[in-house]
Amino acid sequence: MSSINPTLQVWHLIQSHRVTAVIYVAAKLGIPELLRDGPLSANELAKSTGADKQALNRLLVALSTIGICAAAGEDRYSLTELGAVLDGTAEQSFKAWAIFEGQMLYSRWNGLLDSIVTGKTAAQLQGVSDSFELMARNPEAVSIFNAAMVDVTRFVTPDVLRAYDFGGITHLMDVGGGSGELIGAIAKQYPSIRGTVFDLPRCAESAISHLDHMGVSGRTKFLSGDFFQTVPTGADAIIMKSIIHDWNDERSLKILANCRRALPENGKLLLVERILPELPSVSEEHREQAMSDLNMLRGPGGLERTEKQYNRLLDHAGFQQLAVLPAGRFGVIEARVR
């Protein structure tokens, strides 16, 4: 039996949005980067950020209570190991995601009640077909989104590489691959593999630059197009990370059908997705998956799915599901053309 007062526990849960706001402001002001080389005073941080000293000091106190920074003497603060993750230069930085969550998702969730009552996304409630179309109208929003997706992909990729052996693949295509973070990492670990990133034309410049920066541009390329229309042929395997969860079954089946037509006989399909539990618990992982599912409802209109739901979806699209391999908070779903 829990010793925690349930009223107090609920009170803390209700106020958890304040933590998101505090982390967002710290990331936006670049406080982790400023503290990277050692402690600074609130006055020094105020001068560097252009913030009001007294207000910033109050923010720093709040950041200290959640472990992002720590008091280092009177009116001085240092960066913690936790706070270092918000440094944009960190190997597995989540700065871009903090800005995405605090600047874009935070406001979107304010309308969750409307989506629950109507079953419609935020974009549909504004008369727009989907959130990606709405986002495309704002170049800053597109940049924030793309940077956040790189953060998540960079975090997930080591788990994907541990979970799945890509050694038997000659040419791997990442459909909806954005900046090429996933393909680049796979190509670096598997020197014989050739890779293709397939995504909308607006992703071309960043993907080409990123693949060159990763040193794999000689074996990888970018192709532009719309996966709802067609997927290029030529690869013996296709990978998609966090793509199918964006869409309902009808639209997902269009993407999967195009992938199936693009693949050769016995070609492989790999989906990197969250897997909803059949029976959810109060665990942190299950809560994260459920919240992501609601984010899909409010955002693009998709959903997180259970293993059985993915199995049915793939079967309808002409694939045989072979395995679901745990990859951290995600799973690698392996299927082949049936």
Side-chain angles (χ1 to χ4, degrees):
M1 185 174 179
S2 175
S3 61
I4 301 175
N5 183 321
T7 303
L8 184 60
Q9 189 172 6
V10 170
W11 190 24
H12 288 163
L13 288 171
I14 291 168
Q15 297 180 100
S16 59
H17 67 99
R18 301 179 185 184
V19 175
T20 301
V22 166
I23 292 173
Y24 161 70
V25 174
K28 193 74 173 177
L29 290 177
I31 289 172
E33 287 88 348
L34 292 170
L35 293 177
R36 180 194 302 150
D37 297 324
L40 292 174
S41 68
N43 189 51
E44 290 170 317
L45 289 168
K47 286 180 180 179
S48 296
T49 61
D52 177 83
K53 178 190 172 184
Q54 297 302 322
L56 183 61
N57 192 58
R58 292 162 73 172
L59 177 75
L60 291 164
V61 170
L63 289 168
S64 299
T65 68
I66 60 173
I68 299 299
C69 63
E74 187 176 354
D75 198 35
R76 289 175 67 80
Y77 296 89
S78 63
L79 190 64
T80 64
E81 184 179 9
L82 200 65
V85 176
L86 296 174
D87 183 338
T89 65
E91 185 177 349
Q92 289 193 330
S93 171
F94 261 99
K95 176 176 183 174
W97 187 271
I99 293 172
F100 175 55
E101 188 83 40
Q103 193 164 323
M104 293 174 62
L105 297 187
Y106 189 78
S107 58
R108 181 194 292 172
W109 273 67
N110 286 338
L112 180 61
L113 176 62
D114 295 329
S115 291
I116 297 295
V117 171
T118 65
K120 294 182 178 181
T121 68
Q124 288 168 342
L125 288 165
Q126 296 178 58
V128 182
S129 61
D130 67 66
S131 61
F132 291 108
E133 181 184 337
L134 186 62
M135 182 176 65
R137 300 175 182 180
N138 183 344
E140 182 190 8
V142 173
S143 296
I144 291 172
F145 174 82
N146 288 342
M149 294 307 106
V150 170
D151 275 5
V152 175
T153 302
R154 191 170 290 152
F155 175 70
V156 172
T157 295
D159 290 322
V160 172
L161 288 169
R162 283 190 290 268
Y164 191 80
D165 182 2
F166 293 88
I169 296 172
T170 302
H171 186 173
L172 179 66
M173 179 182 296
D174 188 351
V175 172
S179 69
E181 178 68 31
L182 181 58
I183 277 289
I186 295 171
K188 284 188 74 170
Q189 184 153 321
Y190 292 86
S192 64
I193 207 167
R194 290 182 293 118
T196 297
V197 178
F198 178 67
D199 212 321
L200 296 171
R202 65 172 179 247
C203 299
E205 184 178 352
S206 63
I208 292 169
S209 173
H210 191 57
L211 293 170
D212 183 58
H213 176 73
M214 295 183 80
V216 296
S217 57
R219 291 184 288 117
T220 58
K221 62 183 178 180
F222 180 89
L223 293 177
S224 64
D226 182 346
F227 52 48
F228 285 115
Q229 302 300 321
T230 187
V231 171
T233 59
D236 53 312
I238 285 174
I239 191 167
M240 289 189 284
K241 180 203 153 290
S242 301
I243 299 298
I244 297 303
H245 83 147
D246 283 337
W247 310 104
N248 61 24
D249 284 0
E250 180 183 0
R251 302 198 76 182
S252 293
L253 286 169
K254 287 183 180 180
I255 301 169
L256 292 170
N258 287 333
C259 289
R260 188 182 185 281
R261 281 190 284 270
L263 286 167
E265 185 178 353
N266 292 321
K268 289 285 183 70
L269 175 70
L270 304 170
L271 304 181
V272 181
E273 297 282 2
R274 299 179 191 274
I275 309 295
L276 272 181
E278 297 290 345
L279 294 173
S281 70
V282 294
S283 71
E284 181 183 322
E285 183 174 354
H286 287 184
R287 181 170 65 249
E288 179 183 299
Q289 292 161 340
M291 294 300 176
S292 181
D293 182 50
L294 288 175
N295 195 46
M296 293 303 101
L297 168 65
R298 186 66 184 152
L303 66 156
E304 304 296 353
R305 295 173 173 90
T306 65
E307 183 177 333
K308 289 179 181 177
Q309 287 174 315
Y310 272 113
N311 195 357
R312 286 195 295 269
L313 191 68
L314 289 165
D315 182 61
H316 290 162
F319 289 95
Q320 179 186 357
Q321 184 170 303
L322 301 176
V324 179
L325 307 170
R329 293 296 178 93
F330 286 69
V332 179
I333 305 169
E334 181 187 33
R336 70 181 173 197
V337 174
R338 193 177 61 236

